Amino acid sequence: MLFPWNNNTDSRNHAKSRLKLIIAHDRASINPDMMEAMREEILDVVARYVEVDREEMQFSLSNDQRMTSLTANLPIRQIKRIGDLQEQLKENKSINLQKIEVVEFDQEAETNAKSK
Amino acid sequence: MSRIIVVTSGKGGVGKTTTTSNLGAALAKQNRSVALIDADFGLRNLDLLLGLEERVVYTAIDVLAGECRLAQALVKDKRLKGLVLLPAAQNRNKESVNPEQMKKIATALAKGYDYILIDCPAGIELGFRNAISAANEALIVTTPEVAAVRDADRVIGLLEAEGVNKISLIVNRVKPLMVEENKMMSVEDVLELLGVPLIGVVPDDEKVIVATNKGEPLVLGEYESVPAQAYSNIARRLEGEKVPFLDLMANQGNLLSRLRRMFGG
Ligand SMILES: Nc1ncnc2c1ncn2[C@@H]1O[C@H](COP(=O)(O)OP(=O)(O)OP(=O)(O)O)[C@@H](O)[C@H]1O
Ligand SMILES: [Mg+2]
């Protein structure tokens, strides 16, 4: 290596990214257990309507200036059929199924669903 | 109207007392009248940093107990006209004072001085609540380190909850060379994380320790050192002047570091 001093670990950015996370948590005063519980509940609700990729999802607190926000990034595998929805929501009277648009599936999504 | 400002940090040892003494001296040098209150009961240090320890007779506790008048307890700095110290008791603990009492003292002092600076103890317990009780402004001191920044954020939240909304940040002990090598967070990094306005940047400098050893605030030094200038600038910004921040890197000029910079190190 030509300039060995270039080879230092970037502890500055390490510190910064760790702090971003911990400060957001401190500000929201949400502990990891609460975060986890909240995550599961939100996922359950979303999963009634769409099939989400649990592996790929991201769920995080962040802050901009003195504002803290919760960001959920949930990649959707496929939209559920209206029939499935009706089935699942039998008990839930508060949701009006007429208002939910029926989404056409693309071919790929259909095959994926069958192959399972 | 006089201003009551608490100097606080959450984390211990980041430079609250150093800031209070040097900023107080800088303000006095700029012809302001300043009363410094040591709110660190049981661990008082402000008198030492100012070199006034031998002249302490009464403390805030004696004032509260009615053993002396407030004016009698104030130690006048003979080198700087307009600068006085109200010492904390050393033989008592934090529980010997409550927020109401602290507020009474600070408000009484505010009648006679332009600035009341309160040196807050570390932590967020009673000592902290005592120190912030009278304050309408706060100076948050932090160093560019993870624990100090985290605690600073916590304290900012607590101050906001108490209605102290005029909050400014002092980043202390900055090492420009480390920042350049990406080994330390920069002032900008800290600002972005904490989201309160910056009022001062103080380099990590052995002159600060030398001044402490002598009990002589930096602005009283023979020539104006970089840290002395940093404190003078904070005093001027408090007064509402727009003063550019020091370029700390300009003072870091050994050959090796300059070479590194040239080669993008
Ligand atoms: N800019 C600086 N450069 C070098 N040393 C510094 C600087 N600021 C503070 N120090 C040193 O750091 C130590 C702690 O400073 P100080 O007592 O002011 O902190 P503090 O926040 O008041 O601590 P405590 O929480 O115990 O009250 C002292 O030894 C002081 O000399
Ligand atoms: Mg102190």
Side-chain angles (χ1 to χ4, degrees):
Chain A
M1 184 173 287
L2 189 56
F3 302 116
W5 52 77
N6 283 353
N7 189 24
N8 53 57
T9 51
D10 186 348
S11 72
R12 168 187 174 179
N13 284 307
H14 201 144
K16 204 175 160 188
S17 55
R18 286 175 66 211
L19 270 168
K20 266 194 183 144
L21 199 72
I22 196 72
I23 282 178
H25 279 257
D26 284 354
R27 283 186 196 167
S29 58
I30 293 173
N31 62 39
D33 286 349
M34 262 172 79
M35 258 312 254
E36 187 55 34
M38 187 160 74
R39 194 176 88 135
E40 290 303 316
E41 276 200 63
I42 289 177
L43 264 179
D44 285 348
V45 171
V46 175
R48 283 190 220 143
Y49 300 89
V50 293
E51 194 173 307
V52 291
D53 194 334
R54 292 211 175 215
E55 314 281 73
E56 290 295 308
M57 57 149 284
Q58 282 166 359
F59 201 77
S60 64
L61 284 172
S62 59
N63 40 257
D64 183 25
Q65 291 302 303
R66 297 209 60 80
M67 257 284 285
T68 301
S69 58
L70 171 69
T71 312
N73 195 345
L74 313 172
I76 296 175
R77 279 230 195 99
Q78 74 179 57
I79 316 281
K80 296 224 164 155
R81 284 166 192 279
I82 195 88
D84 291 350
L85 268 179
Q86 236 140 12
E87 192 64 27
Q88 277 178 24
L89 295 175
K90 247 186 263 167
E91 288 103 75
N92 196 338
K93 302 265 173 358
S94 64
I95 295 170
N96 184 354
L97 283 184
Q98 309 303 328
K99 294 216 174 113
I100 297 174
E101 275 181 59
V102 182
V103 187
E104 288 284 324
F105 295 109
D106 61 18
Q107 211 49 41
E108 206 184 346
E110 284 274 70
T111 7
N112 276 346
K114 273 178 202 144
S115 65
K116 276 201 183 139
Chain B
M1 248 262 303
S2 75
R3 296 164 67 175
I4 306 180
I5 308 175
V6 63
V7 181
T8 184
S9 68
K11 191 174 182 319
V14 296
K16 294 176 292 295
T17 308
T18 306
T19 302
T20 311
S21 59
N22 284 296
L23 185 57
L27 282 165
K29 209 179 167 196
Q30 290 166 28
N31 298 316
R32 297 280 127 200
S33 59
V34 186
L36 306 179
I37 301 182
D38 191 343
D40 203 345
F41 289 82
L43 288 170
R44 78 166 187 227
N45 282 324
L46 196 51
D47 54 337
L48 265 181
L49 264 63
L50 290 162
L52 298 176
E53 70 277 11
E54 296 198 349
R55 300 193 20 233
V56 173
V57 182
Y58 296 109
T59 71
I61 297 280
D62 301 314
V63 178
L64 288 170
E67 313 227 327
C68 70
R69 284 176 295 111
L70 180 55
Q72 282 179 295
L74 299 177
V75 183
K76 290 197 177 63
D77 192 319
K78 287 177 180 157
R79 301 157 300 186
L80 283 161
K81 197 175 139 283
L83 183 67
V84 300
L85 165 72
L86 178 63
Q90 179 67 351
N91 57 348
R92 305 287 189 86
N93 55 18
K94 309 224 169 1
E95 285 72 38
S96 47
V97 193
N98 65 42
E100 254 336 289
Q101 294 173 313
M102 277 296 287
K103 198 167 174 172
K104 231 162 99 186
I105 290 187
T107 333
L109 277 174
K111 293 195 184 106
Y113 295 86
D114 298 325
Y115 285 91
I116 314 297
L117 299 187
I118 304 169
D119 182 19
C120 184
I124 49 172
E125 296 81 30
L126 182 61
F128 169 76
R129 282 189 281 121
N130 281 337
I132 69 165
S133 62
N136 32 45
E137 295 176 48
L139 295 176
I140 305 290
V141 182
T142 188
T143 60
E145 289 168 73
V146 281
V149 172
R150 180 196 194 171
D151 291 359
D153 188 75
R154 183 82 203 282
V155 161
I156 293 169
L158 291 172
L159 284 165
E160 284 174 341
E162 289 294 321
V164 183
N165 290 314
K166 200 165 175 194
I167 301 174
S168 316
L169 183 71
I170 296 175
V171 185
N172 189 25
R173 308 201 75 159
V174 176
K175 298 185 179 189
L177 280 179
M178 282 188 77
V179 175
E180 187 152 282
E181 293 177 344
N182 281 332
K183 286 178 181 165
M184 179 182 260
M185 283 187 288
S186 68
V187 174
E188 291 74 23
D189 292 339
V190 176
L191 268 183
E192 186 191 324
L193 288 160
L194 293 178
V196 292
L198 181 71
I199 196 168
V201 178
V202 183
D204 188 88
D205 194 314
E206 54 186 48
K207 288 181 215 77
V208 174
I209 296 166
V210 173
T212 315
N213 290 341
K214 292 196 273 189
E216 183 185 277
L218 284 149
V219 291
L220 289 176
E222 283 161 39
Y223 72 103
E224 192 166 64
S225 60
V226 180
Q229 215 177 320
Y231 289 112
S232 298
N233 286 353
I234 298 173
R236 288 167 59 193
R237 289 186 197 108
L238 273 179
E239 287 279 288
E241 243 183 276
K242 287 225 178 328
V243 189
F245 289 95
L246 296 174
D247 176 12
L248 298 179
M249 210 52 220
N251 301 295
Q252 303 287 329
N254 69 53
L255 184 60
L256 183 63
S257 68
R258 256 183 271 156
L259 279 175
R260 281 184 199 177
R261 258 174 277 157
M262 259 162 68
F263 291 106

